[in-house]
């Protein structure tokens, strides 16, 4: 990102939007804007001490995830924490989404969370792995929705909650950019919410996946910008 706070209007463009006009600034009226923090949960930040690993495959997997953990701890979580403070100080609603099932065996999960592989998640709602990380914990009566889907809209009453709150613009942050964040953004756009994705308050497993997804969703489903650029647009 350059020092130009309007650089977001030209950055992260896909083939489809390479020559499109620059977008208008989003409407960030505190009365109609919400910040949605997606899936920043204990399970994704927990990892074993590398010194305790001896198996070659386990060591390779640990090292492959190291850039993600560095980005989360050094950039994403601090930026989300700053956004939460900024939004709270301005009266902007702060909401949270997390993945958690209501049954211990996960039989209530959607099919996408039962298939083998990375997304096969068994996170009972009352257990530590499913909780939002302490640094970003909701305060007071801030709303958290619990989902067994990738999209925070599809599997919850979030659309109705946003409607009842009078929200028209949703600022999205969290993980994973190319999975639950992108699914939520698409759902919000389909429901005619204006959406802002804060690029340095999101992460995917790799920076390549993160950047590719930003280009895919930008300018059609949302506006993508950095924390500094968003904060410059917030009403004073």
């Amino acid at each position: 990102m350059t020092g130009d706070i309007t650089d977001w209007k030209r950055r992260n463009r896909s083939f489809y939007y390479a020559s499109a006009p620059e977008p208008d600034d989003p409407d960030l009226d505190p009365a109609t804007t919400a910040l949605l923090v997606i899936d920043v949960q204990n399970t994704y930040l927990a990892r074993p001490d590398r010194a305790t690993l001896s198996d070659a495959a386990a060591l390779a997997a640990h090292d492959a995830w190291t850039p993600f953990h560095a980005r989360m701890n050094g950039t994403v979580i601090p930026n989300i924490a700053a956004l939460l403070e900024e939004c709270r100080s301005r009266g902007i609603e702060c909401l949270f989404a997390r993945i958690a099932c209501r049954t211990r065996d996960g039989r209530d999960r959607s099919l996408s969370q039962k298939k083998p592989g990375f997304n096969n998640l068994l996170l009972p709602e009352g257990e530590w792995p499913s909780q939002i990380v302490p640094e970003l914990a909701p305060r007071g009566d801030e709303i958290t929705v619990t989902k067994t889907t990738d999209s925070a809209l599809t599997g919850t009453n979030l659309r109705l909650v946003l409607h009842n709150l009078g929200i028209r613009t949703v600022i999205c942050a969290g993980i994973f950019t190319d999975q639950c964040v992108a699914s939520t953004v698409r759902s919000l756009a389909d429901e005619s919410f204006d959406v802002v994705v804060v690029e340095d308050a999101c992460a995917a497993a790799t920076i390549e996946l993160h950047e590719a997804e930003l280009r895919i969703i930008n300018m059609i489903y949302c506006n993508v910008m950095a924390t500094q650029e968003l904060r410059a647009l917030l009403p004073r």
Side-chain angles (χ1 to χ4, degrees), residues 25 30 48 55 180 186 193 224:
D25 291 347
D55 178 74
C180 292
R186 284 174 166 81
F193 291 97
V224 174

Side-chain angles (χ1 to χ4, degrees), residues 30-161:
T32 59
T33 300
L35 171 63
L36 177 62
V37 179
I38 302 167
D39 298 355
V40 189
Q41 298 169 243
N42 289 328
T43 188
Y44 296 120
L45 276 297
R47 67 193 317 224
D49 183 342
R50 193 180 190 280
T52 67
L53 303 175
S54 56
D55 178 74
L59 285 166
H62 185 281
D63 293 346
W65 279 95
T66 293
F68 166 80
H69 285 275
R71 177 174 173 82
M72 287 300 298
N73 290 300
T75 301
V76 173
I77 289 177
N79 281 342
I80 295 176
L83 284 173
L84 284 167
E85 291 304 316
E86 184 92 32
C87 289
R88 286 165 177 153
S89 71
R90 297 175 182 275
I92 293 173
E93 291 278 356
C94 296
L95 299 97
F96 302 80
R98 68 181 180 119
I99 299 170
C101 53
R102 292 173 175 82
T103 57
R104 295 194 63 79
D105 64 1
R107 62 186 182 276
D108 59 315
R109 294 171 298 167
S110 64
L111 180 60
S112 67
Q113 292 184 2
K114 293 178 181 176
K115 289 185 175 181
F118 174 72
N119 210 39
N120 184 3
L121 300 166
L122 180 56
L123 296 171
E125 62 181 348
E127 297 185 2
W128 179 86
S130 73
Q131 307 306 311
I132 295 165
V133 299
E135 300 96 318
L136 307 179
R139 295 181 186 172
D141 63 354
E142 291 174 345
I143 295 167
T144 300
V145 295
T146 297
K147 62 193 179 76
T148 54
T149 55
D150 277 16
S151 168
L153 243 66
T154 302
T156 74
N157 69 338
L158 180 58
R159 184 201 62 78
L160 178 61
V161 168

